[in-house]
Amino acid sequence: MNTTNTIRSLGRLIGLILLFSWNLQAESNPPRHPVQSTKSVNGLTSPIPPGPNSPISLTATAGVPFKYELPALLIDNNAIYTSPELPGNGLRLSYETYPPSIVGTPNATGVMNLTINATSHVNNQVESAWVPITLTVIAPTPISLTATAGVLFKYKLPILLPDNSASYTSPQLPSNGLNLSYDTYPPSITGTPNASGVMNLTVNAHSNVNSQEKSAWVPISLTVNPPIPISLTLLAPTYNCATGAFQFNTSGGDGSPITYFAIGVTGPTTNPDQFVDTGLRTAADAQPLLLQATQSGVTVTYVWNIRAQCPVTTPPPGGALTLLAPTYNCTTGAFRFNTSGGDGSPITFSAIGITGSTTNPDQFVDTGLRTASDIQPLLLQATQNGVTVTYPWDLKAACGRARVGQVEPERRLRVEVLGNPVVGEMVHIEVSGAESQSLWVALTNQQGLVVSEKRIGQAAALERLSVKLSRSAGIYLLQVSMPGQTKVMRVLKAD
């Protein structure tokens, strides 16, 4: 045997020894997971078939911090671990442990198919291995909360990260009257919800400690229920002792129409603005009134003492306020209210067709009233300290009008109110005796203000007209005029 053959035989022997040693090591240290590995010796690579087991199966929850320490894929403690899929979906590889760990907070739900690779270089030998991992990220269970619109709400959030300096935010807050409050830690959702409905919130937590970023989040489903209805309540009315103007006052209720009623004030009506009867206003022994309000079939009441609010004192004998016959100029229409007695306090005068409520006794009678041949007596009123006295005054008798203004019977103006008292907001009238003449129709209220008027250029033989009233019940003065004649009638509007 020459030297060359001896060297070749020795090389084959050494190769057999190394191959035996490698197979023995592989049999004594099988991978614990389905690991695929390769080994390169002097540049020659021999693959090792993967194990028969399924991939590593893991489960995480979106929004919840996750950590999983990888298994050792190579014996070398200096092996480098990588994954082509990480970082991703809020997860990364962390070398805080060895082997490293998969850490982070998953953002989205679903299945993540990961591959973990391990590589080492020892004594010119390159070793590598890898393992498949199936990570299923499930949806978190939302925190379910309930609030009521219009009612103060507060909920302290759970701890999402162990770091007490973590910051909490929500992209949906502030809104609907709610916001995050740091009066507590973790912070709280506080405020008074404005509107009912479902609020889907996401609360995020974030911290940075020693350059380590951590995050977590939790979904919250907040159901805001409608506000609790407040029952209807009758309050003390608003009342003017001098004029008798009265207003029903309420609070609460469901927003539907309210019907008001009180004997001596009004029958059932949806109008809260009314007037107290004159007799009730002036009666010294008036009893408390039972006010009623009805909404959606539910009636509430309030006992109102009119005499406690507006006391009426009985004047001394011979000293009571009295209305006397007025001073009147038939030519100019100048008019003056005359009184006697009283307590010296201001007096308010009124008369339909002359003036609304005023403290000035000097007034003028409307031209139409002065010239009307069929004018009815006027009711003059004077009020002092809540006490009203009256005087019926016959204007026609005062000026001898019975002998004036005779007209041809066939040309006599006639006016008929179709329905008096009037129900609704329109008074319907028929006018005759004014054919081919111009007509002027006006309605005035108890304050002497013109409510509505109409002008007809050339009337028909029978003219039917509709004149609009105001909404308030009471007495109105209807005046119909044609050249040389005027008719004035009282119209009562029922509620």
Side-chain angles (χ1 to χ4, degrees):
M1 182 179 298
N2 57 28
T3 304
T4 301
N5 291 337
T6 302
I7 294 174
R8 288 177 180 175
S9 299
L10 183 60
R12 290 192 186 96
L13 179 61
I14 293 173
L16 291 174
I17 294 173
L18 289 175
L19 180 60
F20 175 79
S21 174
W22 168 251
N23 291 335
L24 182 62
Q25 182 180 1
E27 292 176 0
S28 61
N29 296 287
R32 290 172 289 171
H33 294 283
V35 177
Q36 287 190 349
S37 61
T38 60
K39 185 173 182 180
S40 175
V41 181
N42 293 327
L44 299 177
T45 302
S46 301
I48 298 179
N53 300 324
S54 60
I56 298 174
S57 181
L58 304 176
T59 302
T61 301
V64 179
F66 172 82
K67 183 176 182 179
Y68 171 73
E69 185 175 343
L70 296 171
L73 301 184
L74 294 175
I75 299 174
D76 181 16
N77 289 336
N78 295 317
I80 298 174
Y81 288 72
T82 60
S83 173
E85 295 81 21
L86 297 178
N89 195 27
L91 301 176
R92 60 185 173 84
L93 285 179
S94 170
Y95 276 86
E96 294 176 354
T97 61
Y98 191 86
S101 300
I102 301 174
V103 299
T105 301
N107 298 320
T109 59
V111 177
M112 299 179 66
N113 294 308
L114 309 177
T115 300
I116 306 298
N117 301 307
T119 305
S120 71
H121 298 263
V122 178
N123 297 327
N124 292 326
Q125 292 187 357
V126 177
E127 294 187 3
S128 63
W130 60 273
V131 63
I133 294 179
T134 299
L135 175 57
T136 302
V137 182
I138 62 175
T141 302
I143 298 175
S144 182
L145 304 176
T146 302
T148 301
V151 178
L152 182 64
F153 173 81
K154 183 174 184 178
Y155 171 73
K156 186 178 180 181
L157 295 170
I159 296 175
L160 301 183
L161 292 175
D163 179 18
N164 289 336
S165 62
S167 61
Y168 288 71
T169 59
S170 174
Q172 294 83 25
L173 296 177
S175 68
N176 196 27
L178 301 176
N179 66 307
L180 282 180
S181 170
Y182 275 87
D183 292 341
T184 61
Y185 189 86
S188 300
I189 300 175
T190 62
T192 302
N194 299 320
S196 58
V198 177
M199 299 180 66
N200 294 310
L201 310 177
T202 301
V203 176
N204 302 305
H206 179 79
S207 70
N208 189 332
V209 179
N210 298 327
S211 298
Q212 294 289 330
E213 299 278 348
K214 293 183 179 180
S215 63
W217 59 274
V218 63
I220 295 177
S221 178
L222 174 57
T223 301
V224 181
N225 294 321
I228 301 172
I230 302 174
S231 59
L232 179 69
T233 303
L234 254 179
L235 308 175
T238 301
Y239 180 62
N240 187 312
C241 298
T243 65
F246 178 97
Q247 183 181 61
F248 289 90
N249 294 321
T250 61
S251 68
D254 57 15
S256 62
I258 302 174
T259 301
Y260 306 96
F261 171 74
I263 296 176
V265 180
T266 180
T269 177
T270 56
N271 184 1
D273 298 313
Q274 300 295 328
F275 280 88
V276 176
D277 293 345
T278 302
L280 187 60
R281 298 206 309 264
T282 59
D285 59 348
Q287 299 301 305
L289 302 181
L290 182 67
L291 312 183
Q292 298 184 38
T294 302
Q295 184 181 61
S296 299
V298 178
T299 299
V300 294
T301 60
Y302 182 91
V303 178
W304 176 55
N305 192 337
I306 184 174
R307 284 290 76 88
Q309 185 168 345
C310 302
V312 174
T313 57
T314 303
L321 178 67
T322 304
L323 256 178
L324 307 176
T327 302
Y328 179 61
N329 187 316
C330 297
T331 303
T332 65
F335 177 96
R336 180 181 176 84
F337 289 90
N338 293 321
T339 62
S340 67
D343 58 13
S345 60
I347 302 174
T348 301
F349 306 97
S350 66
I352 294 178
I354 299 177
T355 181
S357 296
T358 178
T359 57
N360 184 3
D362 297 312
Q363 300 294 328
F364 279 88
V365 176
D366 293 343
T367 302
L369 289 180
R370 297 208 307 267
T371 59
S373 59
D374 58 350
I375 182 66
Q376 301 299 312
L378 302 180
L379 186 65
L380 312 183
Q381 298 186 32
T383 302
Q384 185 180 61
N385 277 337
V387 177
T388 300
V389 294
T390 60
Y391 182 90
W393 177 54
D394 193 340
L395 170 61
K396 186 164 61 175
C399 294
R401 293 277 295 286
R403 302 186 303 275
V404 181
Q406 299 296 324
V407 294
E408 298 293 333
E410 65 273 10
R411 301 294 296 175
R412 185 179 298 277
L413 179 66
R414 292 181 176 84
V415 179
E416 182 180 357
V417 178
L418 305 179
N420 196 3
V422 176
V423 177
E425 296 186 5
M426 302 294 291
V427 55
H428 305 285
I429 64 174
E430 284 186 352
V431 181
S432 59
E435 184 177 0
S436 301
Q437 301 292 315
S438 61
L439 278 179
W440 178 66
V441 182
L443 267 176
T444 56
N445 60 19
Q446 297 180 21
Q447 287 73 42
L449 300 176
V450 176
V451 175
S452 60
E453 62 179 341
K454 282 192 173 185
R455 295 185 185 273
I456 307 296
Q458 189 172 6
L462 181 63
E463 194 75 43
R464 289 184 174 88
L465 301 172
S466 296
V467 187
K468 187 174 179 61
L469 289 163
S470 68
R471 294 183 178 180
S472 301
I475 298 174
Y476 293 80
L477 202 64
L478 172 67
Q479 179 176 324
V480 182
S481 298
M482 62 176 278
Q485 296 185 59
T486 297
K487 281 280 188 179
V488 179
M489 303 181 69
R490 286 193 180 127
V491 176
L492 176 62
K493 181 184 184 300
D495 201 15

